[in-house]
Amino acid sequence: MPLHKLEDFDSDYRNTFQGDDIKGKSVYTEGSDEKIGTVSDVLVDEDGHFRYFVVDLGFWIFGKKVLLPVGRTRVDHGADRVYALGMTRQQAEDLPEFSDRLAVDYDYEEKVRGVYRPSGGIAERPLDTPTPLDATTGLGATSLGAATGLGAAAYQPAPGADAIVDRPTYNRDTYNYKQDSSLYDLNEQDHQTLRLYEERLVANKQRRKTGEVAIGKHVETDTARVSVPVEKERVVVERVTPADAGRTVTPDATAFKEGEVARMEIYEETAKINKEAFVREEVNFKKVVDHDTVEAKDNIRSEKLDIDAPNLPIEER
């Protein structure tokens, strides 16, 4: 099962744990109360279960980081400490080094588990790697190699050693963390205070651009028509018979003069068309905010307390 760093799995994990950050807590040995390092990170599986604390062993081995299974810890929130249960300096030296560039796969985890697993006369080995037991120490080649620095190929069983049939076996295709409950479960003795967590939907808003409105103007040409009344003068010549027509006049009055001309000026109006620009209308634009409510739903999980005490008096407070 792939493992993820806590922050990669849940970037908002600090709020999930009410601001209590496990990273940065000091790590001490149980009993001797000796500080061995600090928690630099946490590895969780795809379901969000804590599997390992990444411990920087700066107080024991400078520059080395190792994996500490959560079942081998006791978290003291009041003292802001993590206690490594049964951790020895020899184990710290035997553990494979962890780095961010390392792929934590089954083989790497088996190396880690091989250091923490109790030997106790039971050889814990991968299914595809036969491992005989030492009749004297009861350690398999994996455990003995971790303790002595010798690989499994260098170990030879003592002559006449009896095989143990009911020892656990591990297969990379079927392995489950429940097979190593002592390494990954929160044991009752060291975790008296249980924190029940639940998931919640956190609604946030982000502002994104949905488009752009461009407002401009252009010129259109049209034909306009206008009517202007104009006046034109013309001369009307009327010939009439005077009232004293036929009356004899004096010789002076009848003196004929050649070239006598009467003049009259004639005018007319012409249309003069000019174009003038004027303000027709004014356009103002602004933004208004429309309010809406977006609803979302998802499945959330919550932890409930299970008390297994048949026929025993239990009082919850």
Side-chain angles (χ1 to χ4, degrees):
M1 180 179 292
L3 297 177
H4 309 275
K5 290 185 178 180
L6 180 58
E7 192 162 6
D8 293 338
F9 182 82
D10 180 8
S11 60
D12 198 31
Y13 75 93
R14 293 178 182 85
N15 288 335
T16 304
F17 296 114
Q18 290 79 45
D20 188 10
D21 195 348
I22 192 69
K23 295 197 294 185
K25 289 186 183 295
S26 300
V27 181
Y28 287 79
T29 57
E30 185 79 356
S32 62
D33 207 31
E34 178 184 2
K35 185 173 182 178
I36 64 176
T38 57
V39 177
S40 64
D41 216 322
V42 180
L43 299 184
V44 301
D45 62 20
E46 290 185 323
D47 295 325
H49 296 129
F50 281 32
R51 294 306 180 190
Y52 298 100
F53 291 145
V54 180
V55 179
D56 187 344
L57 296 174
F59 284 78
W60 265 5
I61 306 174
F62 180 76
K64 183 176 183 180
K65 293 182 180 180
V66 298
L67 297 185
L68 177 61
V70 295
R72 298 293 297 271
T73 66
R74 179 172 66 86
V75 181
D76 189 337
H77 295 282
D80 203 32
R81 290 183 177 185
V82 174
Y83 288 96
L85 305 180
M87 182 85 166
T88 64
R89 188 183 292 269
Q90 184 63 47
Q91 282 182 323
E93 294 176 354
D94 293 338
L95 283 169
E97 187 170 357
F98 173 84
S99 70
D100 294 333
R101 299 183 299 273
L102 183 68
V104 181
D105 53 15
Y106 174 82
D107 294 330
Y108 179 84
E109 287 192 82
E110 274 299 299
K111 294 178 183 179
V112 174
R113 289 189 282 260
V115 176
Y116 288 108
R117 283 170 178 157
S119 54
I122 300 178
E124 298 180 335
R125 57 178 177 79
L127 182 62
D128 52 358
T129 307
T131 306
L133 291 180
D134 187 294
T136 303
T137 64
L139 295 176
T142 303
S143 300
L144 186 62
T148 63
L150 299 176
Y155 170 68
Q156 296 296 329
D162 295 331
I164 297 179
V165 179
D166 58 347
R167 60 195 178 201
T169 57
Y170 303 93
N171 187 321
R172 68 173 62 245
D173 297 325
T174 60
Y175 179 80
N176 190 288
Y177 288 111
K178 293 181 180 179
Q179 294 178 255
D180 284 301
S181 59
S182 63
L183 299 182
Y184 301 107
D185 287 351
L186 301 179
N187 64 76
E188 183 178 351
Q189 179 180 357
D190 297 316
H191 300 84
Q192 293 294 333
T193 300
L194 298 179
R195 291 188 174 186
L196 303 181
Y197 296 99
E198 67 178 9
E199 295 177 325
R200 62 183 178 181
L201 294 180
V202 179
N204 291 315
K205 297 188 296 184
Q206 62 179 5
R207 187 178 180 89
R208 63 184 180 89
K209 183 178 178 179
T210 57
E212 184 176 85
V213 176
I215 300 177
K217 61 181 182 178
H218 68 281
V219 177
E220 292 183 354
T221 302
D222 198 1
T223 300
R225 300 180 184 277
V226 63
S227 298
V228 179
V230 295
E231 294 181 352
K232 295 183 179 181
E233 295 178 342
R234 59 189 176 88
V235 177
V236 177
V237 179
E238 295 181 351
R239 295 187 179 194
V240 297
T241 301
D244 57 351
R247 183 176 58 85
T248 303
V249 297
T250 63
D252 294 337
T254 61
F256 291 93
K257 297 179 181 179
E258 187 174 349
E260 185 177 3
V261 177
R263 298 180 181 275
M264 179 179 293
E265 293 183 348
I266 301 174
Y267 295 91
E268 70 174 10
E269 295 178 334
T270 60
K272 184 179 181 182
I273 308 299
N274 295 322
K275 292 188 292 185
E276 295 181 349
F278 63 95
V279 177
R280 186 185 66 199
E281 63 177 324
E282 187 175 76
V283 178
N284 296 321
F285 51 92
K286 61 181 179 179
K287 293 191 296 184
V288 296
V289 178
D290 295 328
H291 297 275
D292 197 1
T293 301
V294 177
E295 295 185 357
K297 64 179 182 178
D298 199 352
N299 296 325
I300 60 176
R301 299 172 296 175
S302 63
E303 297 178 339
K304 305 298 182 182
L305 186 64
D306 294 328
I307 301 177
D308 186 8
N311 301 323
L312 293 178
I314 297 296
E315 180 181 353
E316 293 189 39
R317 296 183 179 179

